[in-house]
Amino acid sequence: MEMSDMRHVGRESGLITIDGCDTLARLFLKRVEQWGDRTALREKNLGVWESFTWSDFHHHAHAYAAGLVALGMQAGDVVAILSEDNKEWVFADMAVHMAGGTVNGVYPTYQAEQICHILQDSGTRWLFVEDEEQLDKYLEIADRLPGIERVFVVDWKGLRNFSDDQVWPIARLKQCGDEALAEAPDLLEARIASGNAEQIAVLVYTSGTTGKPKGARISHRALLFQMMAVPEPFAARQGDDLLTYLPLCHLAERVVSLCTQLRVGTVLNFVESSESVFLNIRELSPTILFAVPRIWEKFYSRIAALMDEATWIGRTGYNIAMRIGRQRARLLMKHEKPSRLLEAAFRLADVLVLRNIKQELGLDRSRIRLSGAAPISVDLLEWYVALGLPVSEVYGQTETGIATFCNPGSPPGHVGLPLKSVDLKLGAQDEILVRSPGNFSGYLNMPEATAATLVGDWVHTGDVGAILPGGEVKITDRLKDIIITAGGKNVTPSLLENRLKFSSYISDAVVVGDKRKYLACLIMIDRENVETYAQKNAIPFSNFRSLCARPEVVGLISKVVKEANEQFSTVEQIKAFRLIDVMLTAEDEELTPTMKLKRSFVERKYSELIAEM
């Protein structure tokens, strides 16, 4: 079906199909038939990339699905996956769809109590876990989860002497499925045939920054719409390489990785670990990269650190090349055409300097570069345009899917035009409202929260923004995050925070000051770059806490804050700051799984520090 046809059908009748398929399972079988021998997935095994074809994908998913059905899984059952990204995650995901169930992805960084709430609330009956570490979390809460029928462990290492009738190695599930299919080859046909577009394909639990996570119900229809709605400049091609590293239970990663793969046949490459993301990007040089702002900031910080250590000739060459790149970038960002002389100078700078930087970052093959999940600094966007690597923002939420795409040439800070068949309007207090075939189907077990968010056909996003004369959308901030000072001044904290995070020495920042006389800020430093600075300047420290306490480091950050303040009016400037002197990881409650500081949690936990400021 052509995209224009899909848009018409989606608008008029609500029916969305791809190649005649209206569920993920039916589309998957179609793809296996079409692309059986082509590579679908790649994963490292003992340091070597190992490839799996669509037929391999089907062989495992089909067996897992048959095993689940043979063990008593019913259509509509919820199956949870508690694991880092890997091929088994994807096999299990599709197996659940083929068996007529709902996938409930759980962040592997969650602790036992968080997992308990999600499994209880969702009514999960079947659970896949990655390894001994994740199994231990389940065993800690198993007595409170009587509804769990069986647990399947992907990596059985360390469990050789473990015995529990309820806990199986995943290989045993596959064997069970193979045996069931040998007896009844058409075991799954009725399940797949009975599926429909409005059935709930996945549950996505929000990060729960203001309370317990809510389970957003996402239908097959919503996911199929996301596959079809991508504008042409961002259309993936068959064989495009994607590096999958954000949790697949995050809706944006599911759409970019799993949905795009089903749509056009991209190749998913799994990172070895969360620590090897940048190494794997450099090694693979993916053609498509979707990243949260934290990743784009780390790329910039890496080059800034390398330039600090470079020779005089290297630094001079970089500075000249970037000066040319920035001149060109500022014209392009104002929709002005650079002169022939400037274009020629940029091409020369690219050959001599910038191309090496792209290769160092692993972005030299990239065609499509997307940023989402949080606002990104305009200064950072300009830096990428100067490199010749423009990054486009996408906007959406779990409840809406991707709603807008920033087309090439859109001004930085804009999140682009709404996708076809997506309607946007402003509500009270300039809140963004979204109506779309990609909208969610409400929260599980939470009718009041559903009614507050999904009003008629419109999702109330909680984001404040503007719709510009050309139709482009600009997001200002979260409605609940807008600061109103004691003097009555409305301040958008994300603008200040993004300006601070453009510094290679700052990893994250939270501006506070609601109902107070002035603004203050909690800052998390970039450990690697600040440690390098300290070593270079002979500043003694013994650990992260002592590093944050050094007056030279405080002075360094004070200089960054002062430079950022110069971009804002007096009432919007930061008058005091403190450093968070604990090294945070995704396991810590202060951070979301996509490595954003949780504003409300941070404000509560560090209330004494804030009061001191």
Side-chain angles (χ1 to χ4, degrees):
M1 178 181 289
E2 293 295 326
M3 188 176 295
S4 58
D5 295 335
M6 185 286 301
R7 290 167 179 167
H8 176 75
V9 172
R11 176 73 73 175
E12 297 300 326
S13 68
L15 176 64
I16 296 171
T17 63
I18 298 176
D19 288 350
C21 303
D22 65 346
T23 67
L24 301 181
R26 288 199 275 270
L27 182 58
F28 173 67
L29 293 180
K30 185 85 171 181
R31 295 316 189 211
V32 172
E33 180 184 333
Q34 294 172 318
W35 305 330
D37 294 333
R38 291 176 177 161
T39 299
L41 312 166
R42 279 201 290 256
E43 187 175 70
K44 270 203 167 179
N45 182 19
L46 300 177
V48 178
W49 287 101
E50 187 177 0
S51 297
F52 299 85
T53 66
W54 283 88
S55 293
D56 296 329
F57 188 172
H58 177 259
H59 174 69
H60 285 82
H62 197 213
Y64 291 174
L68 288 168
V69 171
L71 289 170
M73 177 182 163
Q74 302 297 311
D77 276 359
V78 175
V79 182
I81 305 174
L82 174 60
S83 172
E84 299 281 358
D85 296 352
N86 50 47
K87 64 183 185 300
E88 286 82 6
W89 204 111
V90 180
F91 294 160
D93 176 78
M94 188 51 67
V96 176
H97 297 313
M98 295 175 76
T102 298
V103 176
N104 176 22
V106 183
Y107 288 109
T109 53
Y110 277 177
Q111 300 306 307
E113 285 301 316
Q114 295 169 293
I115 294 167
C116 188
H117 165 72
I118 289 172
L119 298 185
Q120 286 176 338
D121 185 67
S122 62
T124 293
R125 287 190 64 204
W126 314 88
L127 174 63
F128 289 82
V129 300
E130 181 179 9
D131 52 19
E132 182 181 12
E133 178 188 354
Q134 302 298 348
L135 177 62
D136 284 343
K137 295 178 186 177
Y138 163 74
L139 293 174
E140 185 180 332
I141 54 177
D143 60 337
R144 292 149 62 188
L145 296 165
I148 300 285
E149 301 277 344
R150 198 85 62 182
V151 180
F152 309 105
V153 183
V154 172
D155 183 356
W156 197 256
K157 286 197 294 286
L159 295 168
R160 181 177 299 176
N161 299 320
F162 177 81
S163 179
D164 186 325
D165 291 341
Q166 193 183 29
V167 180
W168 286 14
I170 200 169
R172 187 175 172 187
L173 172 65
K174 184 177 183 301
Q175 180 183 356
C176 177
D178 286 335
E179 292 171 355
L181 288 169
E183 293 183 13
D186 58 353
L187 177 64
L188 298 174
E189 287 185 8
R191 292 285 178 96
I192 295 171
S194 64
N196 70 76
E198 294 306 319
Q199 287 180 342
I200 302 305
V202 298
L203 289 173
V204 179
Y205 276 82
T206 61
S207 57
T209 57
T210 57
K212 287 190 178 297
K214 302 188 290 289
R217 301 161 67 242
I218 314 295
S219 67
H220 289 267
R221 174 257 309 155
L223 293 176
L224 287 168
F225 171 76
Q226 291 290 304
M227 295 182 204
M228 295 294 293
V230 176
E232 187 58 37
F234 300 98
R237 303 169 186 165
Q238 190 163 84
D240 265 331
D241 277 311
L242 285 87
L243 188 70
T244 301
Y245 66 95
L246 289 173
L248 282 165
C249 46
H250 192 282
L251 185 64
E253 186 63 35
R254 173 180 284 276
V255 169
V256 171
S257 290
L258 302 186
C259 291
T260 301
Q261 182 189 45
L262 275 179
R263 176 71 179 97
V264 299
T266 51
V267 179
L268 300 189
N269 300 270
F270 298 103
V271 293
E272 295 173 87
S273 70
S274 57
E275 288 76 32
S276 68
V277 172
F278 294 100
L279 176 64
N280 290 152
I281 289 175
R282 289 202 300 275
E283 180 182 23
L284 180 68
S285 292
T287 54
I288 299 174
L289 184 62
F290 169 71
V292 295
R294 185 74 170 271
I295 298 295
W296 297 114
E297 290 159 5
K298 291 292 285 183
F299 280 135
Y300 168 75
S301 294
R302 174 172 177 76
I303 298 303
L306 288 175
M307 288 304 108
D308 281 344
E309 299 173 0
T311 64
W312 178 85
I313 293 175
R315 284 197 304 273
T316 302
Y318 172 77
N319 290 335
I320 292 172
M322 288 305 296
R323 194 177 304 129
I324 293 167
R326 287 185 188 279
Q327 288 176 17
R328 177 177 177 271
R330 285 165 185 160
L331 291 170
L332 291 174
M333 291 160 71
K334 291 189 294 185
H335 297 281
E336 296 179 13
K337 188 176 180 179
S339 67
R340 290 183 181 180
L341 180 61
L342 182 55
E343 282 291 352
F346 177 75
R347 285 195 294 272
L348 181 61
D350 185 53
V351 169
L352 297 177
V353 178
L354 302 181
R355 186 175 300 173
N356 294 331
I357 293 175
K358 296 172 190 176
Q359 291 173 344
E360 172 64 29
L361 296 176
L363 299 177
D364 49 304
R365 289 202 310 142
S366 62
R367 291 191 305 107
I368 300 170
R369 295 161 297 274
L370 304 174
S371 179
I376 187 170
S377 163
V378 172
D379 295 310
L380 192 60
L381 291 173
E382 182 188 284
W383 185 78
Y384 280 101
V385 175
L387 280 182
L389 297 172
V391 175
S392 295
E393 287 194 85
V394 296
Y395 168 70
Q397 296 181 341
T398 298
E399 293 82 357
T400 66
I402 296 172
T404 74
F405 249 96
C406 193
N407 292 318
S410 293
H414 295 194
V415 294
L417 295 164
L419 301 178
K420 294 294 183 181
S421 297
V422 173
D423 296 320
L424 268 73
K425 68 178 181 180
L426 299 182
Q429 296 179 277
D430 290 335
E431 181 184 12
I432 298 286
L433 310 184
V434 179
R435 180 173 63 188
S436 162
N439 281 357
F440 79 138
S441 301
Y443 298 114
L444 184 68
N445 304 324
M446 300 185 76
E448 291 183 2
T450 298
T453 301
L454 189 57
V455 182
D457 294 331
W458 295 90
V459 167
H460 288 237
T461 66
D463 289 322
V464 178
I467 299 175
L468 305 174
E472 288 217 337
V473 179
K474 184 174 183 177
I475 305 299
T476 308
D477 215 322
R478 292 290 291 167
L479 190 62
K480 64 186 178 184
D481 291 343
I482 297 293
I483 292 172
I484 304 177
T485 66
K489 172 66 177 178
N490 283 24
V491 177
T492 301
S494 64
L495 295 177
L496 272 162
E497 291 160 358
N498 285 335
R499 186 66 187 81
L500 290 170
K501 288 187 287 184
F502 183 61
S503 165
S504 59
Y505 298 120
I506 293 179
S507 177
D508 212 338
V510 172
V511 173
V512 296
D514 197 48
K515 300 180 179 64
R516 298 176 186 267
K517 293 180 179 179
Y518 54 82
L519 302 182
C521 189
L522 292 170
I523 291 173
M524 187 163 65
I525 64 172
D526 186 294
R527 179 175 186 168
E528 181 180 352
N529 288 337
V530 175
E531 281 186 353
T532 299
Y533 173 85
Q535 292 162 357
K536 187 176 179 180
N537 291 276
I539 300 169
F541 66 96
S542 57
N543 54 32
F544 186 73
R545 178 162 291 176
S546 69
L547 179 67
C548 292
R550 293 296 307 181
E552 299 93 335
V553 170
V554 175
L556 172 69
I557 302 304
S558 179
K559 183 180 178 182
V560 174
V561 171
K562 182 180 179 181
E563 290 172 353
N565 277 341
E566 292 173 358
Q567 308 297 315
F568 298 91
S569 66
T570 303
V571 74
E572 295 173 305
Q573 292 179 359
I574 295 166
K575 306 298 183 186
F577 71 89
R578 295 290 185 275
L579 303 184
I580 297 176
D581 60 5
V582 178
M583 189 64 201
L584 301 176
T585 68
E587 284 78 13
D588 292 295
E589 288 185 281
E590 287 95 326
L591 294 177
T592 69
T594 51
M595 300 300 288
K596 294 180 293 185
L597 279 171
K598 299 178 184 176
R599 184 181 305 277
S600 57
F601 186 90
V602 165
E603 288 183 2
R604 289 196 305 273
K605 182 168 182 176
Y606 297 97
S607 58
E608 291 184 8
L609 203 57
I610 292 170
E612 177 188 312
M613 288 192 287

